[in-house]
Amino acid sequence: MNAIEMKSITKRFGSLIANNNIDFTLKKGSIHALLGENGAGKTTLMNQLFGLSVADEGSILIEGEPINLEHSPQESMQRGIGMVHQHFMLIKNMSVISNIMLANEDENFPLLNPKLTKKKIIKLSEKYHLNVNPNAIIENLSVGQQQRVEILAALYKETNTLILDEPTAVLTPEEVDDLFIILRELKESGKSIVIITHHLNEIMDIADEVTVLRNGNLIGTYLINEKTSTQELSRLMVGRDVLFDFKKQNEPKVEKILEVKNLIYSSNSVKQVNDISFYIKKGEIFAIAGVDGNGQKELCDTIVGLNKMDSGKIYLKNYDISNTKVKYRIKNGISYIPQDRQKSGLVMNWSISDNLILKTYERKPIANGIFVSNIKAQEQASRMIDKYNIKSQNSSDKANQLSGGNQQKVILAREMDRGPALLIASHPTRGLDVGAMEYVRNQMLELRNNGGSVLLVSADLEEIFQIADRIAVIFKGQFMGILKPDCGIAKLGRLMAGLNEGERSE
Ligand SMILES: Nc1ncnc2c1ncn2[C@@H]1O[C@H](COP(=O)(O)OP(=O)(O)O)[C@@H](O)[C@H]1O
Ligand SMILES: [Mg+2]
């Protein structure tokens, strides 16, 4: 008997068909990956299984027994299904115990006993090596730990089937390894797992089977074995061959676009940026490699002017901009794709088009004197939606109605379309699927080839090696060295770990 059978599932949102006649079967005791680009319909399919969204057509069987398409999440939990969502549902200032009690309360279990809950948490945590402290307050936990709390909450009620929506998107490589150990253990104990991801090597690593969706359509379900290749999977997912083959045309110019001298920025009396000096030439991609949290964000925010530096100098095209406002720096050619896009990149309850023209509305041709032309603004927004392939139903949709990847494209379109002298891009492809990733990297390269400059902060070394002209390695707020892309990954890795070999090459 199968753990789950979804048959001919169709789900429409207005005129958009998010799931078109999809069949999906999860075998008992297996790990089944759900693969597809952003917007392919993966979350929608799983939401209908979990009871967060109602299918328009089709049928769903859980362990061979049908369930009403209009069932609630409580009902699916009672039938042994647990789901870990892409955005965590935990309440930050509450303990693990309180969160788990809250998540599992319903009319059948109205008052959970804290002592028993704690016991059960400890038992589950030990059984699956989740390493969760029941008394910890959520906001004091790392993202990886919070995710394990979510998994524990999902397992709490005799769960047989666990759904994980892009669980690895927020994790470091080591945390992904830890998660996979847990998933294998769950599988060993007979649980069935659906994992949504668009990382192909993760699928090769963990999954028994993969189902591929594209644009709401089922492409197929395939066994993962020696014959499966990531190339084949990416072709199935994107519908064409994805080529990570980037061509750098002509060398960077001599002219310096940005120069940073002895920059120091501290917060909480820690030097987050500790005496950093470098320059970026016209037509150059300068990358900063490093483990997250070593000062990358603070450095970018300081260059843009969001942080007030303690000391040092910043020159943009030879002008000292050290003490200028953010607005001045943007006006003079700096574009910024921040790390935390939902918080600082987009106004989530504004429309897509308003977000697209957020920084240009004060300029011609949209503004003529004090009058803002709505028609011109709409024209510009439509052109950008087209060019950057932003998938939405309507440009008047709110930004929070877009998938994560498409939100990212909105920011990218806005920041790149101005033809900036300097684009500061912080993890521009994090969380994107391969097709979009290829696109974004090509856009940065095109900007470079046309004489623009890029400051690229990335934790993805493959990306850095593909497109950077020079690579700085940051560790604890300092540059450990500035290297050429032919330096080799081993050397870069050593510098990222803070092992200085006492040399500095350019
Ligand atoms: N609540 C909703 N209202 C309108 N459209 C939606 C809603 N949820 C998802 N969509 C649309 O359905 C499509 C599939 O979305 P989703 O299932 O989230 O994709 P995935 O998880 O594969 O990235 C997208 O085009 C998305 O914009
Ligand atoms: Mg999704």
Side-chain angles (χ1 to χ4, degrees), residues 327-336 356 359-360 363 380 383-384 388 412-423 447:
K327 206 169 160 183
Y328 177 89
R329 299 182 200 198
I330 289 172
K331 215 166 138 189
N332 283 285
I334 295 186
S335 269
Y336 189 26
L356 278 169
K359 280 184 191 163
T360 43
R363 303 191 310 196
Q380 176 152 334
R383 184 183 55 75
M384 285 158 84
Y388 292 87
L412 204 88
R414 184 184 71 208
E415 299 302 319
M416 309 227 0
D417 207 66
R418 318 164 47 214
L422 174 68
L423 173 70
L447 183 69

Side-chain angles (χ1 to χ4, degrees), residues 311-357:
S311 60
K313 288 277 179 210
I314 304 172
Y315 300 92
L316 182 67
K317 299 180 237 176
N318 288 328
Y319 287 98
D320 184 351
I321 58 162
S322 312
N323 296 310
T324 57
K325 293 209 162 65
V326 180
K327 206 169 160 183
Y328 177 89
R329 299 182 200 198
I330 289 172
K331 215 166 138 189
N332 283 285
I334 295 186
S335 269
Y336 189 26
I337 300 173
Q339 182 171 337
D340 185 350
R341 289 173 262 275
Q342 293 204 334
K343 216 153 83 191
S344 46
L346 290 174
V347 185
M348 294 306 272
N349 58 0
W350 280 17
S351 71
I352 299 166
S353 37
D354 285 345
N355 269 291
L356 278 169
I357 60 165

Side-chain angles (χ1 to χ4, degrees), residues 178-430:
D178 292 344
L179 172 68
F180 284 5
I181 291 172
I182 294 166
L183 296 188
R184 287 196 186 94
E185 212 136 330
L186 287 164
K187 176 179 148 176
E188 288 297 302
S189 71
K191 313 253 183 246
S192 320
I193 297 170
V194 181
I195 177 171
I196 299 181
T197 175
H198 37 235
H199 293 287
L200 304 169
N201 35 18
E202 291 176 2
I203 292 177
M204 302 291 281
D205 186 9
I206 192 86
D208 301 302
E209 283 188 276
V210 58
T211 289
V212 184
L213 300 183
R214 194 198 309 149
N215 278 331
N217 294 306
L218 176 68
I219 302 301
T221 295
Y222 312 88
L223 289 174
I224 301 292
N225 54 34
E226 321 77 56
K227 282 182 283 178
T228 325
S229 71
T230 52
Q231 221 165 348
E232 174 70 9
L233 289 179
S234 73
R235 202 179 50 73
L236 291 168
M237 169 166 73
V238 185
R240 61 178 167 84
D241 280 314
V242 180
L243 297 173
F244 280 118
D245 179 19
F246 299 98
K247 299 255 180 311
K248 280 184 208 140
Q249 290 160 5
N250 45 40
E251 288 296 301
K253 306 272 186 294
V254 190
E255 190 185 333
K256 290 175 188 168
I257 288 298
L258 181 81
E259 181 152 29
V260 169
K261 284 188 174 164
N262 305 105
L263 191 67
I264 297 183
Y265 164 75
S266 46
S267 76
N268 301 325
S269 53
V270 176
K271 284 183 182 162
Q272 310 282 355
V273 177
N274 190 359
D275 197 15
I276 283 184
S277 301
F278 69 100
Y279 60 84
I280 305 179
K281 291 184 275 193
K282 187 170 156 59
E284 181 178 48
I285 297 181
F286 183 89
I288 298 181
V291 177
D292 265 13
N294 274 288
Q296 295 92 322
K297 179 180 186 300
E298 290 79 8
L299 176 61
C300 294
D301 282 354
T302 310
I303 295 173
V304 178
L306 292 165
N307 288 340
K308 194 170 161 21
M309 65 170 92
D310 303 3
S311 60
K313 288 277 179 210
I314 304 172
Y315 300 92
L316 182 67
K317 299 180 237 176
N318 288 328
Y319 287 98
D320 184 351
I321 58 162
S322 312
N323 296 310
T324 57
K325 293 209 162 65
V326 180
K327 206 169 160 183
Y328 177 89
R329 299 182 200 198
I330 289 172
K331 215 166 138 189
N332 283 285
I334 295 186
S335 269
Y336 189 26
I337 300 173
Q339 182 171 337
D340 185 350
R341 289 173 262 275
Q342 293 204 334
K343 216 153 83 191
S344 46
L346 290 174
V347 185
M348 294 306 272
N349 58 0
W350 280 17
S351 71
I352 299 166
S353 37
D354 285 345
N355 269 291
L356 278 169
I357 60 165
L358 193 63
K359 280 184 191 163
T360 43
Y361 65 94
E362 291 170 76
R363 303 191 310 196
K364 283 185 181 174
I366 293 172
N368 201 347
I370 55 163
F371 299 104
V372 174
S373 155
N374 246 322
I375 296 170
K376 285 272 160 34
Q378 276 312 323
E379 274 174 16
Q380 176 152 334
S382 311
R383 184 183 55 75
M384 285 158 84
I385 287 170
D386 241 32
K387 184 170 164 200
Y388 292 87
N389 195 15
I390 297 164
K391 286 190 188 134
S392 71
Q393 291 185 59
N394 200 312
S395 63
S396 61
D397 286 355
K398 302 233 155 61
N400 57 19
Q401 284 171 276
L402 288 174
S403 69
N406 281 301
Q407 288 174 3
Q408 202 145 324
K409 285 186 192 167
V410 171
I411 301 177
L412 204 88
R414 184 184 71 208
E415 299 302 319
M416 309 227 0
D417 207 66
R418 318 164 47 214
L422 174 68
L423 173 70
I424 301 178
S426 192
H427 304 289
T429 63
R430 180 176 276 174

